[in-house]
């Protein structure tokens, strides 16, 4: 027990004794410059200023830093006098910083993660730690209605590719102290941000622990395909299963309703859809329109969708079975029998037709909007 404690304390000492967190300001600047290759990376910005009589190095990522925000912040810092500078970094945070999201970093890996995530980092002469200010604004589109999850009634907003705004869309709908979001990072190179959301007291805590343990134990270089990569790693032995393992949605109202029902929601940075688990077949075929109509209409729409899905699965094999066994066909359905000579087996005809329709669907996805409608008409005729 003592040896383990000594080893942990030794590791912490090594992390905190890095040159980045030493007392020599010039050496720390050089170490950070070598770490990020600032002379070669034109989008990683570094500027040295003087605040309260002390040298300050500011590091930021171009594209994440809004110019008007940093300009107002620097006006505040330039107004600090030398006699007002506290003795340590904690005092500087409490007395000399404006109201922004700010954290003190004392580990090199935390500095790397926060800086590359877009936070503005400040290294002040005479202070050992490093400040990270969350002033970032990620480039992104507006929260418009998803193309595949449109509704006749209801809200018209949708998730985007930024994690924090997606969490805010859920917070806007659930103003409850029991709404929880747990944070994790996955990927040695990508360091992808992941948020696991649930309602405390309504969810199975064992499921939450299992999901968090699985995410924290993942050893992968990068989540190249975002959610799909994460899904395959959560259940690595079921890759051959073509059916969906989770419910996906781009609608904040659907995600909020699922959380209130006791489900777990997983949000992945750079992805506009969230994963909902656990789920079932009935949950996957649900639609937001079922809830935005009166109970009778919503129930009718849900029954119609279920019957349509069942027919889509079973009508083709039943048809082939009846074609192969004409004596089983009742008289009212004898019109489905093939009277002419069969040169190609019906099963191969269906396979060719399925292949052709899939090809037309892929063509429609990669076709400009002006040609999508004519191509869809051709697909309908086929």
């Amino acid at each position: 027990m003592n040896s383990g404690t000594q080893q942990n304390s030794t590791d912490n000492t090594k992390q905190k004794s890095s040159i980045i967190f030493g007392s020599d300001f010039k050496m720390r600047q050089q170490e950070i410059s070598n770490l990020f290759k600032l002379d070669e990376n034109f989008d990683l910005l570094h500027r040295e200023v003087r605040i309260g009589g002390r040298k300050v190095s500011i590091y930021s990522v171009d594209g994440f830093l809004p110019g008007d925000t940093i300009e107002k912040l620097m006006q505040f810092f330039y107004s600090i006098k030398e006699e007002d500078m506290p003795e340590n970094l904690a005092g500087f945070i409490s007395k000399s910083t404006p109201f922004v999201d700010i954290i003190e970093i004392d580990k090199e890996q935390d500095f790397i993660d926060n800086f590359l995530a877009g936070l503005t980092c400040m290294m002040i002469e005479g202070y050992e730690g490093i400040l990270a200010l969350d002033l970032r604004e990620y480039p992104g589109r507006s929260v418009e209605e998803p193309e595949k999850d449109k509704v006749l009634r209801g809200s018209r907003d949708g998730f985007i590719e930024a994690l924090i705004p997606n969490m805010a869309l859920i917070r806007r709908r659930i103003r409850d102290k029991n709404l929880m979001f747990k944070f994790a990072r996955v990927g040695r190179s990508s360091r992808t941000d992941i948020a696991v959301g649930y309602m405390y007291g309504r969810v199975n805590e064992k499921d939450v622990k299992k999901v968090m343990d699985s995410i924290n134990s993942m050893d992968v270089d990068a989540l190249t395909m975002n959610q799909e990569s994460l899904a395959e790693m959560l259940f690595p032995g079921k890759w051959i299963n073509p059916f969906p393992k989770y419910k996906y949605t781009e609608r904040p109202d659907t995600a909020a309703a699922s959380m209130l029902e006791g489900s777990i929601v997983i949000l992945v940075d750079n992805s506009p859809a969230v994963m909902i688990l656990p789920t079932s077949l009935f949950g996957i075929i649900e639609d937001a329109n079922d809830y935005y109509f009166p109970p009778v209409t919503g129930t009718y729409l849900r029954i119609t969708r279920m019957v349509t899905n069942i027919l889509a699965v079973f009508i083709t094999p039943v048809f082939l079975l009846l074609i192969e066994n004409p004596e089983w066909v009742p008289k009212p359905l004898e019109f489905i029998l093939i009277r002419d000579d069969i040169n190609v087996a019906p099963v191969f005809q269906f396979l060719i037709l399925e292949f052709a329709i899939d090809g037309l669907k892929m063509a429609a996805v990669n076709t400009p909007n002006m040609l999508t409608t004519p191509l869809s008409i051709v697909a309908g005729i086929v």
Side-chain angles (χ1 to χ4, degrees), residues 43 54 146-147 151 311 317 325 373:
D43 64 326
R54 296 174 183 253
E147 286 290 333
V151 293
L311 289 177
N325 301 274
T373 301

Side-chain angles (χ1 to χ4, degrees), residues 60 79 154 157 177 217 276 312 375:
S60 61
S79 65
D157 56 352
K177 65 180 185 301
S217 62
I276 301 175
L375 190 62

